Amino acid sequence: MEIIRGFCNLSKHLNQCVVTLGNFDGIHLGHQSLISRLKQIGKEMNLPTVVMLFEPQPLEFFNSDRAPSRLTSFREKYLLIESLGIDYLAVISFNRCFASMSADQFIEQTLIKNLQAQYVIVGDDFCFGQNRQGNTTLLQHYADKSSFQLTCMPTYVINDQRVSSTAVRQALSNSDFNLAQLLLGRPYAIKGRVVHGNQLARQLGFPTANIHLNRKKPALHGVYLVKIKGNTLSHDYWGIANIGMRPTIAGNTAILEVNLFDFNQDIYGHCLEIVFVNKIRDEIKFDSLKALQAQIAQDVCIAKKIQAKFTQ
């Protein structure tokens, strides 16, 4: 899958295509259904498939502090979309200029002129353009003028549950990992590279791999039993993870720290996939590092007891 960055590069790479567009946070079953339909249309029309997304996500641009938590980093989106067999990923920088573009301008300049889209597929709640004035009704207006063909797909529902990024966030907030897996079609996980930390966990007797989150607001906070996967690991490992702000040491940036059970290797720079299995507790601010150390020891014992239930 090839990445195309920016409006000016669209026409350089594409000469007619079929396209879908949106935030695609989480790449849940609704997104996957839409992309599957896109692939089907692309095959029927013998045209390349394009997924267009926006970085940062619009709500992150307008008010990053109040924006919804991020389910997937850009790299995670890329890897998931690539695995679905798409030809091109068009990445549009969501900035002030783009935010001021009218809905008609977006259709005429981006979809028709730059992409030369022959077929457009969106969810039936898709909105776009300045002040979100564009919607499927406006897209249908252009489709009626034969500018392109259009499919507006209804909300994906599974077991009477509406599938959406918001629903996934709510499931994770409730520590309902079974529901999150149902909505995503896979267990919820975070992928990232192991980076150097402050070595505090090692000093406390619990060395951790610090995973670069590549997101300001993760969807999870607390201490969890996790399973760790990685192409450079000999096998999957169990472990315990803390994701959050580390209030005991006055952290101001969300981080993900993972202690792998029965593991003692140098994995700095390696990419790992952290699969969240069960929540152990919320983040707590402790009065001392000694109290934190005692709690971590207790967390590890609890995690291993829970792990035993999964490995029986």
Side-chain angles (χ1 to χ4, degrees):
M1 183 175 71
E2 185 176 348
I3 296 181
I4 306 173
R5 294 185 181 272
F7 290 117
C8 61
N9 292 315
L10 294 175
S11 58
K12 296 178 183 179
H13 292 76
L14 295 167
N15 180 20
Q16 299 188 348
C17 66
V18 297
V19 61
T20 185
L21 51 161
N23 285 327
F24 296 97
D25 192 20
I27 317 294
H28 53 60
L29 287 179
H31 296 141
Q32 294 171 45
S33 175
L34 195 151
I35 290 173
S36 177
R37 177 62 175 157
L38 182 75
K39 287 177 58 181
Q40 179 185 350
I41 295 298
K43 185 175 182 180
E44 292 174 0
M45 300 182 71
N46 195 29
L47 289 174
T49 52
V50 178
V51 171
M52 176 181 284
L53 53 80
F54 311 101
E55 288 289 340
Q57 294 178 170
L59 290 178
E60 293 172 338
F61 170 79
F62 288 114
N63 193 336
S64 61
D65 291 333
R66 298 180 61 184
S69 57
R70 187 88 179 229
L71 296 171
T72 40
S73 67
F74 170 72
R75 175 168 174 76
E76 288 169 326
K77 287 185 186 181
Y78 171 85
L79 292 172
L80 287 165
I81 293 171
E82 181 183 45
S83 72
L84 296 174
I86 291 299
D87 297 313
Y88 293 93
L89 181 65
V91 184
I92 304 303
S93 177
F94 198 96
N95 51 32
R96 195 164 300 281
C97 179
F98 181 76
S100 65
M101 181 182 291
S102 72
D104 286 284
Q105 283 179 311
F106 177 76
I107 294 173
E108 293 166 3
Q109 293 296 316
T110 305
L111 296 183
I112 297 174
K113 181 181 178 180
N114 292 337
L115 276 175
Q116 299 185 55
Q118 303 301 297
Y119 208 112
V120 177
I121 304 176
V122 294
D124 57 10
D125 59 351
F126 179 66
C127 293
F128 59 97
Q130 187 177 31
N131 300 321
R132 293 172 56 87
Q133 293 177 344
N135 52 29
T136 55
T137 300
L138 182 61
L139 286 170
Q140 188 61 57
H141 169 72
Y142 279 87
D144 291 340
K145 295 194 299 182
S146 299
S147 299
F148 46 73
Q149 296 182 67
L150 175 70
T151 289
C152 300
M153 295 189 65
T155 298
Y156 194 90
V157 177
I158 183 168
N159 294 352
D160 297 324
Q161 169 72 56
R162 180 179 184 273
V163 178
S164 69
S165 300
T166 300
V168 176
R169 292 188 193 97
Q170 188 60 54
L172 293 175
S173 178
N174 295 335
S175 302
D176 191 341
F177 294 108
N178 288 331
L179 177 56
Q181 179 170 344
L182 179 70
L183 301 174
L184 292 167
R186 65 183 187 280
Y188 182 71
I190 290 178
K191 291 183 179 180
R193 193 172 299 277
V194 180
V195 297
H196 288 275
N198 61 9
Q199 305 296 314
L200 176 61
R202 182 176 296 275
Q203 295 172 32
L204 296 175
F206 300 94
T208 59
N210 293 270
I211 311 297
H212 199 293
L213 279 173
N214 286 309
R215 72 204 78 194
K216 184 176 180 180
K217 294 176 65 176
L220 293 172
H221 291 84
V223 179
Y224 299 85
L225 170 68
V226 296
K227 183 175 284 189
I228 302 97
K229 302 172 180 286
N231 292 334
T232 57
L233 299 178
S234 58
H235 57 83
D236 295 348
Y237 285 85
W238 288 90
I240 188 171
N242 182 87
I243 182 168
M245 308 299 288
R246 298 185 299 173
T248 303
I249 61 170
N252 54 16
T253 302
I255 69 166
L256 171 58
E257 298 177 288
V258 183
N259 173 252
L260 289 76
F261 299 155
D262 305 313
F263 184 85
N264 185 24
Q265 298 176 31
D266 182 354
I267 51 174
Y268 285 119
H270 294 217
C271 285
L272 300 180
E273 179 181 8
I274 313 304
V275 181
F276 292 83
V277 178
N278 194 282
K279 186 169 186 178
I280 297 172
R281 64 172 174 85
D282 292 328
E283 275 198 303
I284 303 171
K285 183 176 180 179
F286 294 93
D287 294 331
S288 66
L289 292 179
K290 186 175 181 180
L292 172 60
Q293 184 180 37
Q295 182 63 60
I296 294 174
Q298 184 177 345
D299 294 339
V300 169
C301 288
I302 293 172
K304 288 185 175 180
K305 287 180 181 178
I306 299 172
Q307 173 201 339
K309 297 178 182 179
F310 284 93
T311 54
Q312 284 178 349

